[in-house]
Amino acid sequence: VRSSGPSTHIANRSSPREMEKNDGRFLLTRIAAIVALRAPALRVTPISITIRDPRSRWGSASRRGRLSFSWRLVLAPPGALETVVIHELAHLQVFGHGPRFWSLVAGARPEHLRWRRWLREHATELHATFDEPSSTGLEPDTMVTPDGGPPAG
């Protein structure tokens, strides 16, 4: 997935709330594209993608196939975003962080250690960006299917 980069994307925002609203939608589109590209190789089919504002994680996966991501990933380089998406997709195959899980992640994303390190090193600044009580500007827990449409039923 290629992007003009977060600094170009956020330069014209008038407010943090407007940024979250627009970037939350933009992020859903980017994540859905990565899922469409990477999920088949991992033999997983997520049922929904949610954008939230968690404080302690970049993403999560449920046993039911729901993926959730921090809107702040829109501020990260595309390689970091793709690594987080692959990490969560891998959880749909293997829950936990044992050797089998990390082997699956490394097989799909050989440079995952580099991007995990980048996220650790920049977590404070990404989480401090527009640090105020807010939402993504989308309805709470907005979900889409990996093809970008609303979830069924």
Side-chain angles (χ1 to χ4, degrees), residues 3-13 18-19 21-27 30 74-75:
S3 162
S4 59
S7 60
T8 303
H9 185 66
I10 66 174
N12 297 323
R13 299 289 183 240
E18 186 66 20
M19 179 184 165
K21 179 179 178 182
N22 292 330
D23 287 348
R25 290 184 180 118
F26 178 72
L27 186 61
R30 288 176 63 193
V74 78
L75 302 170

Side-chain angles (χ1 to χ4, degrees), residues 49-142:
I49 301 167
T50 305
I51 303 299
R52 297 185 177 160
D53 192 14
R55 290 295 181 202
S56 62
R57 60 182 68 201
W58 296 113
S60 62
S62 79
R63 292 184 187 272
R64 297 179 121 183
R66 291 181 168 90
L67 302 178
S68 182
F69 298 93
S70 169
W71 78 268
R72 293 164 194 271
L73 284 167
V74 78
L75 302 170
L81 173 62
E82 187 165 353
T83 298
V84 173
V85 174
I86 289 169
H87 179 110
E88 299 311 331
L89 287 170
H91 276 308
L92 299 181
Q93 194 57 249
V94 179
F95 279 85
H97 291 101
R100 193 166 145 244
F101 171 80
W102 289 116
S103 177
L104 185 61
V105 171
R109 187 79 169 152
E111 63 277 20
H112 74 99
L113 292 174
R114 170 184 170 216
W115 290 111
R116 290 182 63 227
R117 185 173 37 257
W118 188 94
L119 285 164
R120 269 193 312 276
E121 290 170 358
H122 294 86
T124 301
E125 59 197 275
L126 292 178
H127 279 97
T129 302
F130 303 117
D131 205 5
E132 61 184 42
S134 60
S135 70
T136 61
L138 301 170
E139 291 300 314
D141 300 336
T142 297

Side-chain angles (χ1 to χ4, degrees), residues 27-48:
L27 186 61
L28 278 171
T29 301
R30 288 176 63 193
I31 290 171
I34 296 168
V35 166
L37 182 69
R38 299 301 202 128
L42 292 166
R43 295 190 316 255
V44 297
T45 307
I47 63 167
S48 66

